Amino acid sequence: MNNMVISTRIRLARNLKGFSFPHKLNHKDAEEITSRVQNALAPIIKDFTLVKMSDVDNVTKQMLAENGTISPDAANNRLCRVFIKKDGGAEITVNEEDHVRIQTLRRDDNIDAAFELVNRLDDLLDESLSFAFSDKYGYLTACLTNTGTGMRASYMLHLPMLEKTKQIKALEGEIGRFGMVIRGSHGEGSEAVGSLYQLSNQVTLGKSEREIINDLNNIMKQITAKEAALREKVKGDAAFEDVIFRSLGILKYCKTISAKEAMEHLSNVKMGIESGIIKDKEDNIYNIMTDIQPSVIKKKEGQALSNAEICKKRAEYLNKTL
């Protein structure tokens, strides 16, 4: 596995014939679409939990958005429903930007396995749902940029050296020629926190799913090779190693720390582990990054917390874990 790849995600956008797109959808039709999707999932429905955005508290919504299960838009949409696979790795979101969004997420670089699962779920739904499809344009979606295959494939990449050397902007221009885009860790318009970037396809029309995946895979390998070369250049440099061990020290002994600062230091520690500079730590850093998010801390404590209290609890967790 490429250790610079944090996760792999594939999402398919689909819409049902005979219904308005979600931004024009009324409550009755939204419930009808949910019912049809649930019936289509009948052979495997026991493997899923249905979560209604109208029924869950704000902390749970925030947590689902922060861990990538749903989008921030879905969290704020009372008509939105999510079928979440009980063993993880797949979600089917209903009535968000499109009627149906099928997503698979893996904590590795196995994009073929992610595509295989999303394709199986798509085939199952297609057996009993009539998706809006044009022989000329492919799957019809609420946003024109998704029309065609309706597929967005992405890798979450850890790119601290490309970030520190300010090469991310240049990368954007290079990969744009191949129909790819690199964004912050939560996609379009988001900030790259902890040197985490999302590499995904921007073009869905005129290419097959396999072509999109192959192109994405090739671009990912080129980017991570550049990152690896930059790390190799500074290996053994005292100043570089000092940054890494200072970050480890801060995380081990801080008494209060914000999520943003903690993510920056965790990124440095992760790079130290990946580069072999820190030898006595397991690379479970992304799990720690997930556990220090505000919603996770509030959910774990089971009570409302001020920002100062969250920063203190975060520091205690980091001290103990590292």
Side-chain angles (χ1 to χ4, degrees), residues 166-191:
K166 304 189 187 306
Q167 294 188 45
I168 299 293
K169 267 286 180 206
L171 272 179
E172 290 175 6
E174 290 175 25
I175 67 175
R177 296 184 291 115
F178 300 96
M180 301 292 164
V181 64
I182 192 163
R183 297 169 170 153
S185 46
H186 289 284
E188 189 173 0
S190 66
E191 183 184 3

Side-chain angles (χ1 to χ4, degrees), residues 39-188:
N39 290 337
L41 286 171
I44 56 170
I45 196 65
K46 67 181 186 305
D47 298 333
F48 289 83
T49 299
L50 174 59
V51 177
K52 299 182 178 182
M53 290 303 108
S54 55
D55 294 347
V56 295
D57 59 81
N58 289 333
V59 173
T60 302
K61 290 178 186 178
Q62 185 184 359
M63 188 168 69
L64 290 170
E66 285 177 353
N67 68 20
T69 299
I70 61 172
S71 70
D73 287 341
N76 297 318
N77 184 349
R78 290 181 60 81
L79 296 180
C80 188
R81 309 288 186 252
V82 190
F83 294 89
I84 302 174
K85 203 163 185 292
K86 291 175 182 176
D87 61 0
E91 300 87 36
I92 298 169
T93 305
V94 182
N95 299 328
E96 190 214 28
E97 183 177 301
D98 293 286
H99 294 150
V100 179
R101 286 194 162 185
I102 312 163
Q103 173 178 277
T104 55
L105 183 67
R106 294 179 61 90
R107 291 282 184 90
D108 58 26
D109 60 355
N110 193 340
I111 198 165
D112 290 328
F115 180 67
E116 182 185 346
L117 176 55
V118 83
N119 208 32
R120 285 206 312 269
L121 292 171
D122 184 39
D123 287 346
L124 176 64
L125 294 178
D126 194 37
E127 287 176 9
S128 54
L129 298 177
S130 296
F131 290 136
F133 185 85
S134 160
D135 291 336
K136 184 176 181 181
Y137 298 113
Y139 290 100
L140 303 180
T141 56
C143 179
L144 286 174
T145 59
N146 290 323
T147 296
T149 62
M151 185 176 85
R152 295 282 181 172
S154 65
Y155 286 114
M156 182 83 76
L157 305 177
H158 182 227
L159 306 173
M161 289 304 297
L162 283 166
E163 181 180 81
K164 291 177 196 299
T165 55
K166 304 189 187 306
Q167 294 188 45
I168 299 293
K169 267 286 180 206
L171 272 179
E172 290 175 6
E174 290 175 25
I175 67 175
R177 296 184 291 115
F178 300 96
M180 301 292 164
V181 64
I182 192 163
R183 297 169 170 153
S185 46
H186 289 284
E188 189 173 0

